[in-house]
């Protein structure tokens, strides 16, 4: 069992749907992350929240929208996704993101399929 | 461009047959070199962090080492439950988050 909890574990949605992925950690970490992982590929960073400040990977399309209600929770809002967005979405947390030498702890991800 | 390259892409060993996985890196301002294990359908599981050349860390059958250009993950007398994809990642180079290598898919046959 991991200390980073992601829900739902699986999600199937159409291209016109709006849905949200949720992530929660109770380790007192102050930085949280979203990664995208395609099959047989490594995780790729999408967003970083550190001390409530957002950093964005500029290659991530605007149909993905992160939200950090508090330091323990991280959401990823999805809207008008494309079939190529089907992937495993991983949430991670670490004690701090600057300096970026702290290990990140990952949840088991949400498997997203876009019809 | 900052990057890590892992080799081999895949490795099949007999139970008890020791070997090493390689992670070569070119990173300006390396802050940390991380090793993770990932099982199918799961998130990466943290194994080790290495910060400076010459550093070594051990956990059960695994030992990670770091030089100025590469890191090795040595696996001694592996068991079938050590089968997984092993990912190397770095932090630094001015980027937030971790940048991962493509991983080594390790299979230990009984």
């Amino acid at each position: 069992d991991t200390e980073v909890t992601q829900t739902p574990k699986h999600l199937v949605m159409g291209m016109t749907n709006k849905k949200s992925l949720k992530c929660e950690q109770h380790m007192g970490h102050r930085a949280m992350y979203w990664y995208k992982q395609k099959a047989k590929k490594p995780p790729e960073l999408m967003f970083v929240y550190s001390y409530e400040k957002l950093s964005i990977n500029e290659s991530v399309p605007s149909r993905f929208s992160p939200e950090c209600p508090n330091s323990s929770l991280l959401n990823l809002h999805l809207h008008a996704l494309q079939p190529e967005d089907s992937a495993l979405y991983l949430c991670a947390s670490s004690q701090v993101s600057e300096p970026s030498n702290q290990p990140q702890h990952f949840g088991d991800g949400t498997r997203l399929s876009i019809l | 461009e900052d990057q890590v390259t892992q080799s081999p892409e895949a490795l099949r060993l007999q139970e008890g047959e020791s070997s090493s996985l390689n992670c070569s890196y070119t990173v300006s301002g390396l802050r940390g070199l991380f090793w993770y294990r990932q099982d199918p359908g799961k998130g990466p599981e943290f194994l080790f962090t290495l910060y400076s050349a010459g550093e070594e860390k051990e956990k059960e059958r695994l030992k990670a080492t770091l030089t100025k250009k590469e890191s090795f993950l040595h696996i001694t007398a592996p068991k079938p439950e050590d089968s997984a994809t092993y990912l190397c990642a770095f932090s630094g180079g001015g980027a937030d988050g971790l940048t991962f290598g493509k991983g080594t898919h390790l299979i230990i046959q009984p």
Side-chain angles (χ1 to χ4, degrees):
Chain A
D1 290 342
T2 67
E3 296 182 82
V4 178
T5 303
Q6 293 188 242
T7 55
K9 293 188 184 302
H10 302 275
L11 179 61
V12 180
M13 57 186 288
M15 290 188 284
T16 58
N17 293 155
K18 288 184 181 180
K19 296 286 185 181
S20 297
L21 309 184
K22 298 184 183 299
C23 176
E24 186 172 13
Q25 58 89 11
H26 293 288
M27 294 179 281
H29 289 172
R30 298 303 301 271
M32 296 185 76
Y33 312 79
W34 281 114
Y35 288 82
K36 174 183 178 181
Q37 187 175 26
K38 301 282 281 185
K40 300 189 184 302
K41 298 289 186 181
E44 295 181 345
L45 182 67
M46 300 176 72
F47 303 103
V48 180
Y49 265 101
S50 176
Y51 293 101
E52 302 174 5
K53 175 185 174 184
L54 172 64
S55 297
I56 301 173
N57 181 335
E58 295 181 355
S59 67
V60 176
S62 59
R63 55 186 181 267
F64 294 92
S65 175
E67 178 198 15
C68 192
N70 59 56
S71 59
S72 300
L73 293 173
L74 185 65
N75 299 322
L76 185 63
H77 302 299
L78 315 173
H79 174 56
L81 295 193
Q82 302 297 307
E84 61 264 28
D85 297 323
S86 298
L88 181 67
Y89 288 84
L90 293 162
C91 174
S93 69
S94 68
Q95 289 185 344
V96 291
S97 73
E98 286 294 341
S100 54
N101 59 0
Q102 297 298 314
Q104 295 179 19
H105 299 270
F106 286 80
D108 283 336
T110 293
R111 176 74 60 188
L112 177 65
S113 299
I114 307 301
L115 301 178
Chain B
E1 181 184 351
D2 296 330
Q3 62 180 350
V4 289
T5 303
Q6 291 189 247
S7 61
E9 290 186 9
L11 181 62
R12 188 182 297 266
L13 300 172
Q14 292 296 123
E15 184 173 2
E17 181 183 1
S18 301
S19 188
S20 297
L21 313 183
N22 178 264
C23 172
S24 298
Y25 65 92
T26 54
V27 180
S28 58
L30 180 75
R31 291 191 176 277
L33 191 293
F34 302 83
W35 282 98
Y36 285 84
R37 167 194 172 130
Q38 188 171 24
D39 293 295
K42 299 287 188 180
E45 175 189 349
F46 170 69
L47 295 173
F48 304 108
T49 309
L50 301 165
Y51 295 109
S52 57
E55 190 174 3
E56 299 182 351
K57 290 192 177 174
E58 289 189 64
K59 179 182 179 180
E60 297 180 353
R61 294 177 293 281
L62 299 176
K63 178 181 178 180
T65 61
L66 183 67
T67 72
K68 290 185 177 180
K69 294 183 178 180
E70 55 194 350
S71 178
F72 291 95
L73 184 65
H74 307 278
I75 182 163
T76 302
K79 298 181 178 181
E81 52 262 41
D82 295 321
S83 298
T85 295
Y86 289 85
L87 295 164
C88 166
F90 69 86
S91 63
D96 293 325
L98 297 176
T99 302
F100 285 86
K102 293 183 178 180
T104 293
H105 181 52
L106 179 64
I107 298 174
I108 308 299
Q109 294 179 309

